[in-house]
Amino acid sequence: MVNNKNKFIEDFTKLIEFGNAIASELYLWAQNKANKNDQYLSTSLFWNKYQHWFSESHAFIAQILPYRLAEFDSLYYGDENRNAITYLTYTIKDWLVGIRSPKNAYGDKVFSDISYVYIRVKNQVDILESATKVFESSLFDIKQIVQADLFDSELDVARELLKNGFIRAAGAVAGVVLESHLKQVCENHQLSIKETSISHYNEALKNKLFIEVPDWRFIQGLGDLRNLCGHKKDREPKKDEVAELIDGVDKIIKKIS
């Protein structure tokens, strides 16, 4: 548990540092480069690394501060039903897809779009940093950290079983890990599920938009492989199928929380 917890905190600290580095670049751009073209940012941390930082930060906040996740995401997405692009409705996503501030009759920007991108990224970093106190608080629940270690250990057992030719047993162990993890994710999001199975957990998470359709389909496929291992079918599961199941479960428990 200690190793996994330390790694968790180390990764979290790096995310904050990297987020601050991105925000600092944007601040300098907004203050000193406002009259130059966007090419300045083509080699910047923001242009090249922000999307990766956003995805990782989203996963951390979903686990540590789930009640602030919608706020964090809204700074990127904004309101897709907005009626006009103003400094209040402008988003990080707008800048990344090439939408810029409208111009006035003199050909000048109505507002400094990159300045508002900076403000929104800085707000995202502040939300992430606010989770620091959670680590220091006695209220921090390390259940998921402990569980992550247990899941890693169980997948190691599954790999060892597969290596020694116990193909069906290896798949069954990996399936248990997947089902347990999806159950925990549903609990994290306060979803009440009457039927306890991979497919029911998966469906509930998709219906409430906690996972996207590609992940839902991926989990469906893993569930099918698990069922092949857990029940006598027309054929035996293949070694490469169970290897795919184990690797897939490993991916899901690290990506979805």
Side-chain angles (χ1 to χ4, degrees):
M1 180 188 74
V2 175
N3 289 338
N4 204 28
K5 181 180 179 181
N6 289 343
K7 181 66 166 56
F8 192 87
I9 295 175
E10 179 185 347
D11 289 345
F12 174 69
T13 302
K14 287 180 179 178
L15 271 181
I16 293 175
E17 292 174 350
F18 200 73
N20 278 319
I22 292 174
S24 295
E25 277 194 347
L26 289 169
Y27 177 79
L28 292 175
W29 165 263
Q31 295 298 311
N32 304 316
K33 309 290 183 179
N35 296 323
K36 294 189 177 181
N37 59 41
D38 296 336
Q39 291 178 357
Y40 172 80
L41 282 181
S42 64
T43 59
S44 70
L45 289 175
F46 174 65
W47 182 256
N48 293 286
K49 299 293 184 181
Y50 171 79
Q51 294 281 20
H52 179 75
W53 177 85
F54 173 81
S55 296
E56 284 198 46
S57 298
H58 175 98
F60 269 81
I61 292 170
Q63 184 165 340
I64 304 167
L65 293 174
Y67 53 90
R68 299 203 68 182
L69 185 62
E71 179 186 356
F72 180 85
D73 287 350
S74 69
L75 292 164
Y76 177 83
Y77 293 107
D79 182 4
E80 295 183 355
N81 297 318
R82 66 188 173 189
N83 295 319
I85 297 176
T86 69
Y87 71 94
L88 291 175
T89 64
Y90 195 72
T91 68
I92 299 167
K93 182 181 178 182
D94 284 333
W95 202 97
L96 290 171
V97 300
I99 298 173
R100 300 293 181 263
S101 165
K103 294 182 179 181
N104 60 25
Y106 300 100
D108 298 321
K109 287 184 176 182
V110 175
F111 59 88
S112 173
D113 38 41
I114 200 65
S115 294
Y116 286 97
V117 170
Y118 158 70
I119 291 170
R120 283 152 179 68
V121 170
K122 185 62 171 66
N123 285 342
Q124 287 183 321
V125 177
D126 289 345
I127 291 172
L128 189 63
E129 282 189 309
S130 71
T132 302
K133 292 297 181 182
V134 179
F135 285 118
E136 299 171 357
S137 171
S138 60
L139 296 177
F140 178 53
D141 181 7
I142 64 171
K143 176 183 177 181
Q144 293 179 54
I145 293 175
V146 176
Q147 188 178 63
D149 274 321
L150 292 174
F151 286 167
D152 284 343
S153 298
E154 290 176 354
L155 287 179
D156 286 340
V157 170
R159 290 188 178 96
E160 192 64 25
L161 286 169
L162 183 63
K163 179 181 176 181
N164 288 281
F166 299 99
I167 298 174
R168 187 181 292 277
V173 171
V176 169
V177 172
L178 179 60
E179 183 173 325
S180 299
H181 177 70
L182 293 178
K183 177 183 178 182
Q184 182 61 54
V185 174
C186 287
E187 290 178 0
N188 292 347
H189 294 292
Q190 299 180 331
L191 297 181
S192 178
I193 312 298
K194 294 181 179 180
E195 300 292 336
T196 56
S197 68
I198 291 173
S199 62
H200 287 96
Y201 294 136
N202 191 33
E203 195 70 21
L205 290 168
K206 184 199 72 169
N207 290 341
K208 294 297 183 179
L209 304 180
F210 291 121
I211 60 174
E212 297 180 353
V213 172
D215 290 325
W216 169 74
R217 287 177 179 151
F218 184 71
I219 293 170
Q220 271 190 317
L222 296 179
D224 291 340
L225 290 175
R226 182 265 178 94
N227 291 336
L228 183 61
C229 295
H231 308 287
K232 289 289 186 181
K233 299 284 186 177
D234 294 334
R235 66 174 180 85
E236 290 292 314
K238 299 176 182 177
K239 187 174 182 178
D240 60 343
E241 290 176 324
V242 175
E244 178 185 343
L245 171 60
I246 295 171
D247 290 342
V249 172
D250 191 29
K251 176 182 177 180
I252 289 299
I253 64 176
K254 288 177 170 58
K255 180 179 181 182
I256 297 175
S257 58

